[in-house]
Amino acid sequence: MNNELSYIKEKILSSKETLGEQVKTLKKKEYGVQALMTADWEQLFIYIAQSLEEETLEIHEKVKNWSEKEVESKINQGGELSQSLRAVHFVRRVLWDHFQEEVEQDVFSSSVIIKVSKTISSILDEVTRHFSECYSRSIQQEADRKETRLAELSVPVVTIVEGVAVLPLIGEVDPPRARMVMDTSLRRSTELDLDELFIDVSGVPIIDTYVANYIYQIFHALELVGVKTTLTGLRPEMAKTMVDLGVNFKRIHTKGGLEQALSDLGIQRPSTSLET
């Protein structure tokens, strides 16, 4: 059995370049110009050959690293998972085709055929699993990045004059967005070196317990980093809700409207009248 496995191993190793080219040929035939030739198939054939006589954890770790590198290359070029999985099938196909003559002539014992089949399946199943996991992880990461970008767009910090900015909130403020308001206001206040930030809630339809508590935390956090924060656009019913919820307004600066707040700061709307 060992002699047979050694023969198979050496034949794969000596033919790895040919086997790799055959995989590429099959991919080109099926996908044409869209076939992405990123994988080092010769290296995968080496791992398969090595695992025939000694299937170690080290080899499986190398297979994992190889798979992740291949997926990263595919994703960077806009490749799809289906093409990668199809290529795994081509690897299996060219391997068995490579030993078709020996198999037909019963050169190998049944136990060796079973051993080789299990080993090849184990390695290629692992490659398939890593491909799928890496693609899924990449898709999730991209979704998270898009969600973060959209969330940041919903929490715009707009500079009015040097050191002064406005954060207008429009629409419902749910817990995730409230946390984003906290993170964005602190980050942008530091980036813009703000002295004062106006948070306008005139476009927020309702403030519940969670949002009220978060507003208080935001004001307290900004105060700690030296940013004076003023709440504007607070409607009477919203103010009553916040009082009922126990929010301490002694710690929160408020103004009726954003325009008035800016006017009190000496920031006036430019005149549109023409001098005569």
Side-chain angles (χ1 to χ4, degrees):
M1 180 174 180
N2 288 337
N3 290 336
E4 293 175 53
L5 288 175
S6 295
Y7 170 81
I8 295 172
K9 173 184 175 181
E10 292 305 319
K11 186 172 181 178
I12 293 175
L13 290 175
S14 63
S15 307
K16 59 183 183 296
E17 291 85 1
T18 300
L19 294 171
E21 287 302 317
Q22 288 175 351
V23 172
K24 294 176 183 178
T25 298
L26 289 171
K27 286 188 67 177
K28 288 180 180 178
K29 183 177 180 180
E30 180 148 337
Y31 294 101
V33 295
Q34 295 181 341
L36 296 178
M37 303 303 175
T38 59
D40 182 2
W41 296 112
E42 291 83 357
Q43 187 60 62
L44 181 60
F45 285 118
I46 291 175
Y47 295 147
I48 292 173
Q50 291 174 342
S51 65
L52 289 174
E53 290 187 324
E54 189 177 6
E55 193 171 354
T56 64
L57 292 176
E58 182 181 359
I59 290 177
H60 283 275
E61 185 64 26
K62 290 179 179 179
V63 169
K64 176 184 177 183
N65 294 335
W66 179 90
S67 302
E68 291 178 348
K69 182 179 179 180
E70 159 64 0
V71 170
E72 183 178 352
S73 298
K74 276 287 196 301
I75 292 173
N76 289 339
Q77 296 188 43
E80 298 182 355
L81 175 60
S82 58
Q83 189 175 135
S84 294
L85 296 180
R86 186 62 174 160
V88 174
H89 166 72
F90 294 149
V91 170
R92 194 188 310 269
R93 176 175 165 182
V94 299
L95 274 172
W96 286 115
D97 286 348
H98 198 56
F99 291 96
Q100 182 177 354
E101 183 178 347
E102 288 93 335
V103 172
E104 290 178 348
Q105 295 177 0
D106 292 327
V107 172
F108 307 127
S109 64
S110 299
S111 58
V112 166
I113 295 295
I114 293 173
K115 164 69 175 175
V116 172
S117 179
K118 285 184 176 180
T119 299
I120 293 174
S121 294
S122 175
I123 296 295
L124 296 185
D125 286 349
E126 192 168 346
V127 170
T128 298
R129 178 170 64 85
H130 290 313
F131 278 0
S132 300
E133 289 177 352
C134 290
Y135 268 94
S136 297
R137 189 160 57 245
S138 174
I139 291 171
Q140 184 59 52
Q141 289 172 348
E142 181 60 26
D144 291 342
R145 284 193 291 269
K146 288 181 179 179
E147 184 177 345
T148 299
R149 287 195 292 268
L150 288 173
E152 289 178 344
L153 289 174
S154 73
V155 187
V157 176
V158 183
T159 302
I160 303 300
V161 294
E162 184 177 355
V164 180
V166 175
L167 196 169
L169 296 178
I170 300 174
E172 181 182 354
V173 180
D174 55 8
R177 191 180 180 201
R179 289 192 292 272
M180 180 61 69
V181 172
M182 166 76 86
D183 296 340
T184 303
S185 59
L186 284 170
R187 177 173 55 80
R188 294 292 287 157
S189 293
T190 301
E191 292 174 350
L192 299 172
D193 194 20
L194 296 181
D195 298 313
E196 190 156 1
L197 177 65
F198 294 94
I199 298 180
D200 185 73
V201 295
S202 58
V204 178
I206 188 171
I207 293 180
D208 59 16
T209 305
Y210 187 93
V211 175
N213 287 330
Y214 235 92
I215 287 177
Y216 180 80
Q217 292 177 33
I218 291 169
F219 273 68
H220 182 58
L222 289 168
E223 182 182 69
L224 291 176
V225 297
V227 180
K228 179 183 177 181
T229 309
T230 302
L231 189 67
T232 67
L234 191 64
R235 298 188 299 277
E237 66 273 16
M238 295 170 69
K240 181 178 183 304
T241 298
M242 294 180 73
V243 170
D244 292 342
L245 294 173
V247 176
N248 184 5
F249 273 87
K250 292 181 180 179
R251 298 286 300 275
I252 297 179
H253 302 283
T254 62
K255 291 288 184 179
L258 179 59
E259 185 174 356
Q260 182 59 49
L262 294 175
S263 177
D264 292 345
L265 197 64
I267 302 174
Q268 302 287 343
R269 177 189 296 179
S271 176
T272 57
S273 60
L274 299 176
E275 294 185 359
T276 58

